[in-house]
Amino acid sequence: MSRVGKNPVEVPGGVEVKIDGNVVSAKGKLGELSFAATDDVTFTLDDGKVTVTPANDSKRARSMWGTARSRVQNLVTGVSEGYTKNLEINGVGYRAAVQGNSLNLQLGYSHDVIFEIPDGISIKCEKPTAVAVTGIDKQKVGQVAAVIRAYRPPEPYKGKGVKYADEVILRKEGKKK
């Protein structure tokens, strides 16, 4: 039994969920998303709750059960509230700025790193050392944040680089004289 899959997905007010075979689509105040599942799971919608059940007793159906339920939950949360990943930039002279449809990162390289912002994602820089990646698709928000972090991952000696706001960098002791 899937502990995640057993729980139904609550549909909040203002969100409209449609089930067409194995395609679940959600429409809310922030936009519209859809998810096409495999034939191993079935979806039912009754009185504001989406229930996911495995189609048969195979190992694949049981493994896709919890995954499909999580994907539906992410759709509903995304169109109603959205997702945000916060990044921090540490280092002397390291900074970020949004210019039009691109993010300009100065990360200690000889040239600036210019990251084109994809559709469906918005990036804000309240401070030059703080970047907020926002969108309705959880996977896309996480991927964009990971790509930005990968330009200069944090190093363990001084902590310089781009890190997630809630990430803890394990620091190492430097050389001893």
Side-chain angles (χ1 to χ4, degrees):
M1 289 289 283
S2 171
R3 292 181 186 209
V4 174
K6 281 191 286 189
N7 301 327
V9 177
E10 299 279 338
V11 180
V15 176
E16 183 182 323
V17 175
K18 291 181 188 166
I19 298 172
D20 183 26
N22 280 351
V23 177
V24 178
S25 59
K27 188 174 183 181
K29 63 181 180 182
L30 297 178
E32 187 172 354
L33 288 173
S34 65
F35 159 61
T38 61
D39 293 332
D40 298 316
V41 292
T42 57
F43 301 99
T44 55
L45 174 66
D46 47 286
D47 51 276
K49 293 182 181 179
V50 178
T51 308
V52 183
T53 54
N56 51 39
D57 202 31
S58 68
K59 182 167 175 55
R60 179 166 167 76
R62 285 182 285 130
S63 64
M64 294 305 292
W65 185 14
T67 303
R69 190 252 179 224
S70 294
R71 294 284 304 267
V72 172
Q73 178 69 53
N74 292 343
L75 290 186
V76 171
T77 306
V79 297
S80 62
E81 301 169 18
Y83 290 99
T84 302
K85 280 274 192 182
N86 294 313
L87 298 166
E88 289 178 2
I89 301 173
N90 297 323
V92 177
Y94 288 15
R95 60 182 160 269
V98 176
Q99 296 173 340
N101 197 27
S102 63
L103 178 68
N104 188 5
L105 297 163
Q106 295 176 349
L107 298 174
Y109 296 120
S110 60
H111 296 325
D112 294 352
V113 176
I114 297 175
F115 176 75
E116 293 296 322
I117 300 171
D119 294 337
I121 297 291
S122 65
I123 296 180
K124 293 186 179 76
C125 293
E126 285 83 29
K127 297 187 289 185
T129 59
V131 178
V133 181
T134 309
I136 62 173
D137 189 354
K138 185 175 186 178
Q139 191 274 332
K140 203 177 226 185
V141 169
Q143 183 66 41
V144 168
V147 168
I148 293 170
R149 181 184 181 275
Y151 285 126
R152 180 73 85 168
E155 53 95 14
Y157 294 101
K158 291 185 177 179
K160 291 172 32 171
V162 181
K163 71 179 189 83
Y164 298 115
D166 56 353
E167 183 179 10
V168 176
I169 305 300
L170 293 176
R171 302 293 292 271
K172 290 183 178 178
E173 190 175 349
K175 291 192 292 188
K176 292 189 175 140
K177 293 184 180 183

